[in-house]
Amino acid sequence: MKYLVTSDLHGKYEAYERFSSMLERDDYDAGIIAGDLLDDGVPDEELPEIFANTDLSPDDFLPELALETESRDEYMQRQIARLHSPYDPFVRANQYKEDKLRRILCRSGKPIFLVLGNHDLTPWADGACIVNLHMKRHKHGALNLVGYRWTAMERSPEDRAGDATELARLIDAKTILVTHDPPHGILDLGSYGFKEHTPLSNEYGPIGSPELRAMIDASRPMFHIFGHVHSQFGVEGNCINASYPYQRKFVSLDTDSGKIEFIETV
């Protein structure tokens, strides 16, 4: 199989157009996207279109005021909880954008395997060309694809350890594992997310998942694809950090030959 791989597109239409076009015209069997398909907020330039096509208005996006009876922590937790509701205006606006991006991806005529990331508020449910791999094993030709979305920002170490135990049962030597988080110590040197901080020094330290690292060391998938740490785009062994934002490159993965190439997009 030959896959076109990316991660952390953060809702950039131009990147989606390039990914879909390349997937359609070249000899790829499928695409893989390792999370952060959208972004939490809604760019100002997109709001007029959203307002024209939904019943949302600018006032819907104003922050809620704190209640007189709640503490700062209670207020923050209430705001976070809103983002788990399909009725929240940010979620609804992002759903509108997801629908547009799904149409762009499906123009490729190829299946797209994906997981969500910490910036994704909408479900990206299975349908049309989309297969959401989270906590599932999907057979594709002679290979299996398995996925996991959560990062340390969203789920406790205990919960992630339990998830890793379940995932390990789905993985074998013919598995491509797709997660948003890197495994601890592999292409995961953290930063504050700014380009001027790269190349990174060890002062930032690894921020990847110890639970994922232990799992891949034990289960040994054929390849592990992830993103999340934008500045660590690259390959280490059979691990691929496919983060798009800094390098503006996609990854070509040929599982028959094991060949991995970086594809210029600009």
Side-chain angles (χ1 to χ4, degrees):
M1 290 289 179
K2 187 175 179 182
Y3 297 95
L4 185 64
V5 180
T6 191
S7 182
D8 296 82
L9 297 182
H10 287 276
K12 293 177 172 55
Y13 287 109
E14 187 175 287
Y16 276 89
E17 292 280 5
R18 288 172 176 163
F19 187 81
S20 182
S21 176
M22 196 173 295
L23 193 57
E24 178 183 19
R25 73 171 185 262
D26 294 341
D27 60 340
Y28 294 105
D29 296 290
I32 296 175
I33 308 177
D36 279 359
L37 298 106
L38 295 172
D39 224 351
D40 297 329
V42 184
D44 289 344
E45 64 269 19
E46 294 189 69
L47 288 176
E49 177 185 347
I50 291 168
F51 297 151
N53 289 280
T54 72
D55 60 355
L56 293 171
S57 72
D59 285 349
D60 292 322
F61 294 89
L62 294 175
E64 286 188 348
L65 298 177
L67 301 175
E68 184 179 357
T69 56
E70 65 185 350
S71 68
R72 181 181 182 278
D73 286 345
E74 288 171 335
Y75 171 73
M76 293 303 298
Q77 288 303 312
R78 184 160 62 87
Q79 300 316 301
I80 292 170
R82 286 179 55 193
L83 296 179
H84 292 275
S85 165
Y87 304 106
D88 179 79
F90 285 102
V91 177
R92 292 180 60 199
N94 274 279
Q95 185 63 62
Y96 181 80
K97 187 166 184 175
E98 179 200 314
D99 293 342
K100 290 182 63 178
L101 293 174
R102 289 174 73 108
R103 290 193 290 272
I104 292 171
L105 289 174
C106 290
R107 287 205 304 259
S108 69
K110 308 282 179 70
I112 312 286
F113 302 103
L114 57 80
V115 295
L116 306 188
N118 55 289
H119 281 280
D120 291 314
L121 303 177
T122 58
W124 287 85
D126 292 352
C129 69
I130 301 297
V131 179
N132 190 321
L133 295 171
H134 179 61
M135 298 299 290
K136 292 190 297 191
R137 172 175 164 135
H138 183 92
K139 187 169 180 60
H140 188 228
L143 303 178
N144 303 303
L145 290 99
V146 174
Y148 185 67
R149 69 162 293 182
W150 301 119
T151 69
M153 301 167 66
E154 305 158 290
R155 201 151 165 82
S156 72
E158 294 78 17
D159 287 338
R160 284 183 285 122
D163 293 343
T165 299
E166 289 187 41
L167 282 173
R169 300 188 184 106
L170 305 177
I171 295 172
D172 58 24
K174 292 186 176 181
T175 297
I176 298 175
L177 176 64
V178 184
T179 68
H180 186 55
D181 224 6
H184 186 81
I186 299 178
L187 300 172
D188 71 331
L189 288 181
S191 76
Y192 299 109
F194 299 113
K195 197 168 186 176
E196 59 264 27
H197 288 157
T198 58
L200 296 172
S201 66
N202 288 331
E203 67 181 285
Y204 296 108
I207 62 171
S209 168
E211 297 81 15
L212 283 177
R213 178 61 185 269
M215 185 188 69
I216 66 167
D217 285 348
S219 59
R220 301 205 174 271
M222 177 183 287
F223 292 98
H224 182 190
I225 295 167
F226 49 87
H228 191 44
V229 183
H230 298 179
S231 55
Q232 294 282 274
F233 176 89
V235 176
E236 185 174 326
N238 67 339
C239 294
I240 302 170
N241 184 326
S243 295
Y244 176 81
Y246 287 175
Q247 296 292 327
R248 298 294 201 273
K249 295 177 183 177
F250 299 142
V251 180
S252 173
L253 170 61
D254 188 323
T255 60
D256 293 329
S257 65
K259 186 176 182 181
I260 300 171
E261 296 181 282
F262 301 145
I263 309 298
E264 298 281 354
T265 67
V266 291

